[in-house]
Amino acid sequence: MAAIGRYNSLQIVKHTGFGLYLDGGPDGEILLPNRYVPKDVPTEIDDWLNVFVYLDSDDRVIATTERPKAQVGEFASLKVKQINRVGLFLDWGLPKDLLMPHSEEKRQLREGDYCVVHVYLDKHTRRITATARLDRYLDKTPARYSAGEAVDLLVVEATELGHKAIINGRHWGLIHKNEAFKFLRSGMHERGYIREVRPDGKISLSLQPVGTEASDALQALILQKLEEQDGTLPFSDKSPADEISRHFGVSKGNFKKAIGGLYKQGRILIHPDRIERC
């Protein structure tokens, strides 16, 4: 049975003048229109094709080789193209826009806004649908992350404490304000790191490696840059955070810790406007 809203490997069963028919099992033969038939792979009878299966404007099961921005079971930041009494229609990269019913809005949106949504299959209509109510699609079981572990993050929204983000498409986490050393907005994908899994299950995140190993790597980078610039760099513990982030990719706090460690080791001198190699 073809999985609607997901990629499927389906076998070619028929050629016609308007496309290929693929074996959809209980769904019968599924049309892949000519405009989506690939030119660089075999398309003979009994060959297999990797296609995305969804419902067209007439709610017929159809296949495409175009790639949507998300499939069923995934999260994505999508743009609102149109709003009417039925709901909001989101641009997900396919000719038929993705519906988000008004009941699935978390906050009022306007045309042109972006919103992080979860894509699911409506059990009653089999229609691919979006929701901004994300909590019920995230894992509630205790997370088994380790401090310092690298993870993929999808930034969802700003809060008073920082930015909420989805970890590896499974769990909520929080990038605290003091860890957000660069501009963040809803929908951004970031490489992140687990800072702490608290006893209550809440997860603190960092946008930069954590622990002694990360500190050593930053100190090595600073020494390398000093070597490249004849022993002097125009940065110090007084430098603006955005300049430090742009040149070193870390927060000002971590930069200060790193140069402080190098100073204690007797390897650099710290001046108000620069650091120098000893």
Side-chain angles (χ1 to χ4, degrees):
M1 182 176 181
I4 295 176
R6 297 192 63 84
Y7 297 104
N8 294 257
S9 182
L10 301 181
Q11 196 169 23
I12 300 171
V13 296
K14 187 189 301 181
H15 284 261
T16 71
F18 44 84
L20 304 177
Y21 277 98
L22 311 174
D23 182 6
D27 284 313
E29 295 177 350
I30 299 175
L31 175 65
L32 176 67
N34 274 330
R35 63 183 178 277
Y36 303 130
V37 174
K39 308 300 183 186
D40 55 348
V41 298
T43 54
E44 300 301 322
I45 301 296
D46 293 336
D47 285 333
W48 294 80
L49 291 178
N50 190 40
V51 295
F52 184 79
V53 176
Y54 69 116
L55 302 182
D56 66 11
S57 299
D58 297 315
D59 288 338
R60 295 173 300 193
V61 181
I62 195 168
T64 180
T65 49
E66 290 191 325
R67 299 185 65 85
K69 296 174 182 177
Q71 57 179 334
V72 165
E74 294 181 344
F75 299 88
S77 177
L78 303 178
K79 183 179 181 179
V80 179
K81 288 182 63 177
Q82 181 184 358
I83 302 175
N84 61 27
R85 62 180 182 81
V86 176
L88 299 86
F89 292 86
L90 312 177
D91 177 11
W92 68 323
L94 297 182
K96 181 185 178 184
D97 295 330
L98 180 63
L99 171 66
M100 180 166 71
H102 287 297
S103 60
E104 297 299 330
E105 281 185 274
K106 189 175 179 181
R107 60 181 177 87
Q108 188 171 8
L109 296 166
R110 298 175 297 178
E111 291 181 7
D113 287 345
Y114 282 82
C115 181
V116 175
V117 300
H118 179 82
V119 182
Y120 70 98
L121 194 65
D122 186 283
K123 294 179 180 179
H124 302 292
T125 65
R126 297 183 76 199
R127 291 176 180 168
I128 306 167
T129 312
T131 178
R133 300 183 180 279
L134 309 181
D135 285 339
R136 62 181 180 264
Y137 295 101
L138 288 163
D139 197 338
K140 305 300 190 300
T141 59
R144 296 184 177 276
Y145 301 113
S146 302
E149 181 178 343
V151 291
D152 293 317
L153 304 178
L154 173 59
V155 180
V156 176
E157 62 184 356
T159 72
E160 292 182 356
L161 298 177
H163 286 79
K164 290 179 68 176
I166 296 173
I167 307 166
N168 291 347
R170 295 187 59 195
H171 298 96
W172 277 124
L174 181 68
I175 307 166
H176 288 273
K177 284 184 177 179
N178 64 336
E179 291 291 340
F181 61 88
K182 65 178 184 178
F183 172 76
L184 294 174
R185 63 167 173 77
S186 175
M188 290 179 69
H189 289 269
E190 295 288 333
R191 188 66 164 167
Y193 301 87
I194 302 297
R195 176 166 287 282
E196 180 188 15
V197 179
R198 292 171 26 179
D200 61 4
K202 294 182 178 179
I203 304 171
S204 298
L205 301 168
S206 175
L207 294 178
Q208 53 203 345
V210 299
T212 304
E213 186 175 325
S215 177
D216 291 345
L218 178 55
Q219 289 184 354
L221 175 62
I222 293 169
L223 291 173
Q224 176 188 332
K225 288 183 175 291
L226 281 167
E227 184 71 25
E228 294 169 353
Q229 299 298 320
D230 297 326
T232 302
L233 286 174
F235 302 98
S236 75
D237 51 7
K238 309 296 185 189
S239 298
D242 58 341
E243 289 187 12
I244 291 171
S245 172
R246 187 164 57 252
H247 286 85
F248 296 93
V250 299
S251 67
K252 182 172 180 176
N254 279 7
F255 179 77
K256 289 173 67 174
K257 290 177 185 176
I259 62 174
L262 291 171
Y263 174 79
K264 290 178 181 177
Q265 296 168 30
R267 306 184 74 175
I268 66 169
L269 296 174
I270 301 175
H271 302 280
D273 61 343
R274 68 191 187 283
I275 57 176
E276 292 180 350
R277 184 183 58 203
C278 290

